Amino acid sequence: MTHTNNDIREAIERYLAKYPDGYDQDGYIRISEHERCVIDRIAGNDRAQVAISTIAKTDSKILELVQLCVQAELRMRTFHQSLSEKRETFKGLRRHRESVKELRKFVAESFRIILNWPVPEGETECQQALDHIDALIRLREQAAKSAKSDIGATRKIGVAGVNKESVAKTAAETAAIGWLGEGVRNDFGKPFAPQIAILAEVAFGLDLGAVSAFRVREALRTRRRKRDDPEVVRSTQ
């Protein structure tokens, strides 16, 4: 069933009506003022509503799509904070890995010096404990790398002749557009690039024409490339 613009507006209004003071009736789920502003922008834009009607065919899917837009806008807004946190995570893990190496040397050296250690298997047990710690570090690294499609997008910042503010803004937008396109493709079967371009412009508060279908496809390709390219993660460590 194809929804009209009024249908979509009414579905969004019914959703917002559940949170009159920003919270649901149980006081658990909260919609922030910023989220409400994003939703209002979508609800009040005819182009966005046409895009939604092309992608989503039920009320529940409409709201699912709107929530993806809200989350994508949040990712854009907090992109550089998240990027900084991820870089610090990688630095911390690298320090932990170096510490494990130093402890291995310390254990081996200590058991050469202390000949009368009361537990014969002491060195083996210490090294096994360090093996577990090393495995834990590797698991943390894998978890950090799972988000690497959002890392490395700002590598041009600091290059001579590059406008840092402009590049930083574009990087945040590109990451959010790619995330939104991937979310729509996963949940709705394909990326709907022309429609995502419209929704990104409206949800992110960008100028008309700032996002094209080509830019959406490029953001998706960039996201896939970074996921498959180990150098992207290494460049942030």
Side-chain angles (χ1 to χ4, degrees):
M1 181 180 73
T2 301
H3 286 72
T4 66
N5 288 11
N6 281 336
D7 292 334
I8 293 168
R9 272 195 295 268
E10 289 172 3
I12 294 174
E13 286 169 2
R14 286 195 298 272
Y15 172 71
L16 290 175
K18 297 178 182 179
Y19 307 90
D21 300 316
Y23 290 87
D24 66 355
Q25 60 182 358
D26 297 320
Y28 294 123
I29 302 175
R30 177 178 181 269
I31 293 184
S32 70
E33 284 296 320
H34 206 100
E35 289 173 312
R36 186 177 285 272
C37 286
V38 174
I39 295 172
D40 285 343
R41 281 202 296 267
I42 294 170
N45 187 282
D46 289 340
R47 294 169 62 240
Q49 290 156 20
V50 171
I52 289 172
S53 69
T54 303
I55 300 171
K57 303 303 180 184
T58 66
D59 282 5
S60 63
K61 285 296 183 180
I62 288 171
L63 297 178
E64 182 179 334
L65 179 55
V66 170
Q67 283 299 318
L68 281 174
C69 293
V70 170
Q71 292 168 31
E73 191 276 341
L74 176 63
R75 282 176 169 263
M76 181 191 71
R77 191 159 32 91
T78 60
F79 174 78
H80 293 290
Q81 177 185 340
S82 299
L83 185 66
S84 177
E85 290 172 354
K86 289 167 188 172
R87 284 174 170 159
E88 287 304 312
T89 296
F90 280 117
K91 289 179 183 177
L93 291 170
R94 184 172 60 189
R95 289 194 298 270
H96 294 329
R97 186 178 289 281
E98 290 301 316
S99 295
V100 169
K101 289 180 182 178
E102 290 299 317
L103 284 170
R104 287 191 188 282
K105 294 178 184 177
F106 172 78
V107 169
E109 183 181 81
S110 296
F111 278 94
R112 284 196 300 271
I113 295 172
I114 305 172
L115 300 178
N116 60 342
W117 186 259
V119 182
E121 299 83 9
E123 181 175 2
T124 300
E125 290 177 352
C126 287
Q127 293 291 359
Q128 286 176 344
L130 290 171
D131 288 341
H132 292 313
I133 294 172
D134 187 61
L136 184 61
I137 293 170
R138 291 178 186 277
L139 288 173
R140 287 289 304 275
E141 285 177 337
Q142 289 173 8
K145 287 175 183 178
S146 69
K148 70 182 180 181
S149 59
D150 289 338
I151 294 178
T154 58
R155 280 180 288 177
K156 290 184 180 178
I157 295 177
V159 176
V162 173
N163 184 311
K164 294 181 182 180
E165 185 176 344
S166 176
V167 170
K169 181 176 181 294
T170 300
E173 292 171 4
T174 299
I177 291 167
W179 184 89
L180 178 58
E182 189 172 77
V184 170
R185 183 179 58 199
N186 291 342
D187 292 353
F188 295 89
K190 57 181 182 178
F192 292 95
Q195 289 74 33
I196 292 304
I198 294 169
L199 290 173
E201 279 183 0
V202 176
F204 301 171
L206 304 178
D207 293 336
L208 182 66
V211 184
S212 63
F214 176 78
R215 187 177 179 187
V216 173
R217 296 186 186 101
E218 283 297 298
L220 281 166
R221 277 194 282 269
T222 298
R223 191 171 175 84
R224 285 195 298 270
R225 185 170 64 250
K226 287 173 183 172
R227 184 180 295 114
D228 298 334
D229 183 5
E231 291 301 321
V232 171
V233 173
R234 290 196 194 102
S235 71
T236 69
Q237 296 179 8

